[in-house]
Amino acid sequence: MRFSVLDRSPVRRDGGSARALRDTVAFAAGIERLGYHRFWVSEHHGVPGVAGSAPTVLAAAVAGATGRIRVGTGGVMLPNHRPLVVAEQFGVLEALHPGRIDMGLGRSVGFTAGVREALGHGKDAADGFGAQVRELLGFFAGEHPGVHAYPAEGLRVPPFLLATGSGADLAAELGLPLVIAPVRGERALAEAVTRYRDGFRPSEWAREPYVVVSMAIAVADSAADARRLLVSEAWATVYSRSHGVFPPLDPPGEILARSMTDRERRRLDETLDGQISGTPAEVEDRLGTLVAAAGADEVLATTAAYDQSARFDSFAALAELAGLNALV
């Protein structure tokens, strides 16, 4: 079982976006020392609480600051870009850091109408995701007469498909590794993975199905401390549902002490209950259940805690639980 990390470059109150990005690069170096397999960054536009808006640029910085860990995107939102440009970007990354680059691809579009307009794409841009993925992969294979995506052409950057909606079915059809999160519950996750495995068609990119389960995970000496690590991002998620804006992270103590409506409190508890937190034994038990339900080959963990030191300690505890080989 492989264990990897996704970092969205969360902005912390009074920290700012520049600091968040520098924190991501420094965090990646620490994650490498702990023995994790991959370190991925994400793409969000116009989000006050997330600094990661240019994943291939940030991946280049991460790859330059590390030496062994695989580096990639979770993911590049392909409807926002032209496949040729995405192929060229990953070609450059692979040329500079051969054998270490992953190409995670998603189908989300801008969160608001203003962002979508600025990007030049409407909501319907996601409808062509399958064709966009095929076009992108074709540039690596040199399948577009008269157009060459140098230096990507001829290179093999492993593609991963982030599952949203029918994403699992598309990954099966194209023969690509699947990245999926239990956002609709573990039963829906298991059903999607079953469809993926049953419908998988071997390709030049993957001969067999490969499932990466993504999940927020926090490990601490006590269940209360572990749950507290997840409060800041969980509250930002709850806030975004009612205000349309994902804000910078606040300290968990302040969040838990503030007045909330019954609906907000219920949503916060539901969000936290849907994540994995606890002592090492508790996390091992719940994570084992999730991995078994998904038949997962790899776990992609994410924890956007307000306290950077406590977050790193959590990933260190998870690495020990997973039996990862730390670098000396």
Side-chain angles (χ1 to χ4, degrees):
M1 175 64 60
R2 290 169 169 167
F3 279 75
S4 301
V5 174
L6 169 65
D7 185 59
R8 298 187 182 90
S9 302
V11 178
R12 291 161 181 83
R13 193 182 70 189
D14 302 326
S17 295
R19 179 175 174 181
L21 294 171
R22 291 193 295 268
D23 285 344
T24 289
V25 176
F27 183 55
I31 288 298
E32 178 177 59
R33 291 194 299 272
L34 292 175
Y36 283 89
H37 184 59
R38 311 179 201 276
F39 189 93
W40 282 5
V41 295
S42 63
E43 176 181 342
H44 296 274
H45 298 282
V47 180
V50 178
S53 57
T56 53
V57 176
L58 185 53
V62 169
T66 55
R68 178 202 59 83
I69 195 169
R70 297 193 65 86
V71 177
T73 56
V76 164
M77 297 302 145
L78 197 51
N80 295 335
H81 311 281
R82 293 302 307 166
L84 170 63
V85 175
V86 175
E88 290 170 338
Q89 290 172 345
F90 278 98
V92 170
L93 283 170
E94 176 65 17
L96 293 173
H97 306 281
R100 292 181 56 209
I101 303 301
D102 299 322
M103 183 170 60
L105 305 168
R107 68 185 296 272
S108 296
V109 294
F111 184 62
T112 66
V115 169
R116 291 191 294 273
E117 182 178 357
L119 289 170
H121 300 284
K123 284 185 177 181
D124 58 352
D127 296 339
F129 182 56
Q132 294 161 352
V133 175
R134 291 181 177 88
E135 182 180 349
L136 171 62
L137 298 180
F139 282 118
F140 286 92
E143 296 175 351
H144 298 286
V147 181
H148 301 280
Y150 301 129
E153 189 171 306
L155 298 180
R156 286 295 177 264
V157 180
F160 294 75
L161 221 60
L162 279 61
T164 56
S166 60
D169 301 316
L170 180 62
E173 179 185 347
L174 298 180
L176 301 179
L178 172 70
V179 183
I180 189 168
V183 292
R184 296 182 178 87
E186 292 184 12
R187 180 176 178 179
L189 171 74
E191 291 174 351
V193 170
T194 297
R195 292 200 317 272
Y196 166 70
R197 292 191 180 278
D198 290 346
F200 185 85
R201 302 176 184 176
S203 72
E204 63 179 297
W205 302 102
R207 303 307 301 169
E208 298 178 349
Y210 191 86
V211 177
V212 182
V213 172
S214 181
M215 190 69 176
I217 303 173
V219 188
D221 292 336
S222 72
D225 286 344
R227 188 177 177 92
R228 187 182 180 89
L229 281 173
L230 299 176
V231 165
S232 298
E233 186 179 40
W235 170 251
T237 300
V238 171
Y239 185 91
S240 70
R241 292 177 182 173
S242 56
H243 294 79
V245 176
F246 188 95
L249 303 184
D250 287 328
E254 292 185 16
I255 293 170
L256 295 173
R258 70 181 44 154
S259 297
M260 298 183 194
T261 66
D262 290 341
R263 184 180 187 183
E264 288 174 336
R265 181 71 64 179
R266 183 178 66 256
R267 283 183 168 179
L268 177 61
D269 289 338
E270 289 173 350
T271 300
L272 291 169
D273 290 342
Q275 300 171 339
I276 294 179
S277 66
T279 64
E282 291 169 335
V283 169
E284 183 176 24
D285 180 66
R286 188 167 173 194
L287 187 57
T289 300
L290 176 63
V291 167
D297 300 288
E298 184 173 337
V299 172
L300 183 66
T302 177
T303 303
Y306 183 85
D307 186 327
Q308 288 278 54
S309 177
R311 177 172 75 145
F312 186 79
D313 290 345
S314 173
F315 276 101
L318 180 61
E320 183 176 357
L321 184 156
L324 303 185
N325 296 316
L327 298 178
V328 179

